[in-house]
Amino acid sequence: MYKMTLALYLVFTSVFPASAYAGESQDLVAIQQKWAIANYELKDDAQIEAFTQLSEQSALFVKNYPNLAQTHIWNGIVLASFAGAKGGLGALGLAKEAKTSLEQALSIDGTALDGSAYASLATLYSKVPGWPIGFGDDDKAEKLFKQALAFNLEGIDTNYLYGEYLYDEGDYKEAKARLLVAQAAGIRDTRAKADEYRQQAISQLLAKVNKKLKR
């Protein structure tokens, strides 16, 4: 019922003291690396166990740096991905927690990580079932995706996630446009593992889009 993968990246600012920057950045890199393994390389019980441990780590990340938007963003990403791995109605509680975390990030700094909270929240709204089961809402998803693009017009993740949404909505022409932008973004040195898998997903979805456009 609910499946989502997300891969977003960190942009550090210069407003934090050097010691805080070092500790926060090291913790975040560790979470990002473990997330890529759990999300893309593990399956079934091993994946659930990995996300269980990672959700505890991301919760501690928020506790240690409660005033930084990026900690809430990545906690939301972990919880959303955990929900996707778990699946079914049992995942709805995790999805709601992810929503709360991402909304907290927006309340702190909507520009953090190039507006990544907007894209992550948009994906939640597009993937979660709507009322009366869940909070899913395609209109809200569309609005949030456009807000995300305003911050990161050429980013791999925002464009892929929006392209996936447009494909599901049947807007194949615009979906192709977004996916081509995502494909052109290439692979970042700092997120190589996640981006390699993301590029595979982009190619696979582009093939489906092209097939639809040929009909």
Side-chain angles (χ1 to χ4, degrees):
M1 181 175 293
Y2 172 89
K3 183 68 180 178
M4 176 176 60
T5 59
L6 299 173
L8 304 169
Y9 63 89
L10 175 67
V11 175
F12 298 115
T13 67
S14 60
V15 299
F16 307 117
S19 59
Y21 173 92
E24 179 256 345
S25 64
Q26 290 171 0
D27 290 348
L28 185 49
V29 167
I31 288 173
Q32 290 174 325
Q33 291 174 343
K34 291 179 181 179
W35 176 86
I37 293 171
N39 198 60
Y40 292 117
E41 298 184 354
L42 300 179
K43 302 293 182 184
D44 304 323
D45 291 345
Q47 186 179 54
I48 296 300
E49 177 60 26
F51 272 125
T52 298
Q53 295 179 10
L54 188 54
S55 65
E56 295 172 356
Q57 185 175 350
S58 66
L60 181 61
F61 188 39
V62 169
K63 183 178 180 180
N64 289 339
Y65 307 97
N67 298 320
L68 300 184
Q70 52 262 46
T71 68
H72 296 276
I73 290 172
W74 268 92
N75 186 54
I77 291 170
V78 168
L79 291 171
S81 301
F82 192 1
K86 192 172 184 179
L89 292 177
L92 188 57
L94 289 168
K96 289 179 178 179
E97 290 182 47
K99 176 176 176 288
T100 298
S101 191
L102 293 167
E103 289 173 340
Q104 180 64 23
L106 289 176
S107 73
I108 295 172
D109 182 7
T111 69
L113 310 189
D114 284 354
S116 293
Y118 287 106
S120 301
L121 192 57
T123 304
L124 272 176
Y125 274 114
S126 71
K127 297 292 186 180
V128 171
W131 188 89
I133 297 173
F135 57 84
D137 187 318
D138 286 344
D139 290 336
K140 288 184 178 180
E142 177 77 22
K143 180 179 179 180
L144 288 163
F145 274 126
K146 289 181 177 178
Q147 288 176 291
L149 284 174
F151 290 104
N152 193 13
L153 186 60
E154 298 181 353
I156 182 173
D157 298 306
T158 298
N159 279 284
Y160 169 75
L161 294 169
Y162 190 29
E164 183 182 46
Y165 166 80
L166 291 167
Y167 174 81
D168 291 340
E169 292 294 299
D171 189 349
Y172 305 122
K173 183 177 180 180
E174 185 59 26
K176 182 174 182 177
R178 291 296 103 209
L179 291 170
L180 288 174
V181 173
Q183 191 174 60
I187 295 175
R188 298 161 290 189
D189 292 338
T190 56
R191 301 297 311 285
K193 182 186 291 289
D195 284 359
E196 286 171 2
Y197 284 109
R198 177 69 83 205
Q199 287 291 349
Q200 291 176 19
I202 292 168
S203 297
Q204 291 168 2
L205 187 53
L206 269 172
K208 292 180 180 180
V209 169
N210 287 330
K211 186 175 181 180
K212 292 287 186 179
L213 288 173
K214 289 179 180 179
R215 290 181 177 178

